[in-house]
Amino acid sequence: KVWDTYTGDVLYSYSHGHIVRSADISDDGTRIISGGQEKKLRIFDLNKPENAAMETEGHDSTIKSVIWDGERNVVLSAGDDKEIRIWDLRSFNQINTFKAEHPITSMELSADGKYITSTAGKVVYFLDASTYQVSKSIATAYDVSSVSLHPDNKRFVAGGSSDLCVRIYDFESGKELEFYKGHHGPIHTVSYSPDGEIYATGSEDGTIRLWQTTPGKSYGLWQNKASKDEKENDVDGIQTE
């Protein structure tokens, strides 16, 4: 489903034959790529919603993540067959691939478009988005389910499916910097905000939690007390756990 972000109305609804696990929108907002348990990729044209979708097959099992990379005119897909596949948007043919040792649970394009971040088993991968070669891989002690690189490329946040914790790492060294508890179920998704000031985590416990990159900083929902006292009708800030 495609939603109007201002009104909350459903603009378009596209049916699939099975569960959809991931979708992404093009940079210009005119096309959508989807993937899921049908093992198919589909592209829908929002300017011509009545037209049939372009589709292609290639994965041997469920597609978990899809990414639209308009700068390189490709889309990427990843899933349980342990592969990231790269598809040319003009022909919808596969032009490259990356093979991991375990099923790929998440995939994201960094804010500057330099890295493809992904997780598989207990390993976090950072691929060069131009060559699709591994620039860095970091092994963890737990099953990591999702990762997001900070916009300044100096740290990243990772969530686990087994220990239920949120961890912050130094990108250069791979050293764990911060460790937080709060969720009561597996963490399936993490993401930094565009300005890097907060990150969100989504869990099987039914909650989305917002965390400050710099705890205690006056920012957004976390206004300091002096600022709140000066404002009328202000609401209490949200506290991290």
Side-chain angles (χ1 to χ4, degrees):
K1 291 182 180 292
V2 184
W3 307 78
D4 185 302
T5 56
Y6 293 98
T7 66
D9 296 332
V10 177
L11 302 177
Y12 309 105
S13 184
Y14 298 106
S15 296
H16 293 65
H18 213 311
I19 296 170
V20 178
R21 295 300 302 269
S22 183
D24 196 19
I25 195 164
S26 62
D27 299 337
D28 61 6
T30 62
R31 290 177 290 175
I32 285 180
I33 180 87
S34 71
Q37 290 188 216
E38 286 183 277
K39 310 171 192 176
K40 293 181 180 180
L41 288 173
R42 289 185 173 90
I43 292 179
F44 300 92
D45 188 341
L46 300 184
N47 288 328
K48 300 177 181 177
E50 70 283 356
N51 287 7
M54 291 176 56
E55 63 178 55
T56 189
E57 298 182 54
H59 283 279
D60 299 324
S61 55
T62 299
I63 298 170
K64 291 288 187 64
S65 299
V66 294
I67 290 176
W68 196 288
D69 186 355
E71 181 180 345
R72 298 171 183 86
N73 210 31
V74 298
V75 292
L76 299 91
S77 57
D80 284 345
D81 59 6
K82 308 177 184 179
E83 289 193 312
I84 294 176
R85 299 174 186 266
I86 297 89
W87 309 83
D88 186 294
L89 275 169
R90 292 159 293 193
S91 63
F92 222 178
N93 291 327
Q94 183 178 310
I95 58 174
N96 214 323
T97 186
F98 166 76
K99 184 79 171 180
E101 295 183 4
H102 297 88
I104 297 169
T105 51
S106 72
M107 180 175 61
E108 181 181 276
L109 192 63
S110 63
D112 60 2
K114 184 178 180 180
Y115 296 105
I116 300 163
T117 65
S118 66
T119 55
K122 298 181 179 181
V123 181
V124 177
Y125 293 98
F126 298 92
L127 308 182
D128 185 306
S130 296
T131 65
Y132 309 111
Q133 300 299 309
V134 177
S135 294
K136 184 186 294 289
S137 63
I138 297 172
T140 70
Y142 58 96
D143 292 322
V144 59
S145 56
S146 184
V147 64
S148 183
L149 184 61
H150 191 278
D152 66 7
N153 291 357
K154 293 182 179 179
R155 59 170 59 198
F156 64 91
V157 57
S161 59
S162 55
D163 67 353
L164 318 184
C165 296
V166 180
R167 290 179 168 86
I168 307 297
Y169 293 86
D170 178 75
F171 176 72
E172 190 63 34
S173 66
K175 180 182 177 181
E176 183 179 309
L177 302 175
E178 301 169 32
F179 171 91
Y180 299 107
K181 292 183 178 181
H183 284 294
H184 305 291
I187 299 168
H188 291 309
T189 183
V190 299
S191 183
Y192 273 106
S193 60
D195 64 4
E197 291 287 352
I198 60 175
Y199 52 95
T201 58
S203 167
E204 199 168 307
D205 64 13
T207 66
I208 296 172
R209 294 177 181 263
L210 301 181
W211 312 76
Q212 281 189 284
T213 300
T214 308
K217 180 178 180 180
S218 179
Y219 171 83
L221 298 171
W222 293 268
Q223 296 294 330
N224 61 43
K225 188 176 185 303
S227 296
K228 288 195 294 182
D229 290 343
E230 294 172 358
K231 297 179 181 180
E232 294 182 359
N233 302 321
D234 199 8
V235 297
D236 292 337
I238 292 177
Q239 301 296 319
T240 57
E241 297 187 14

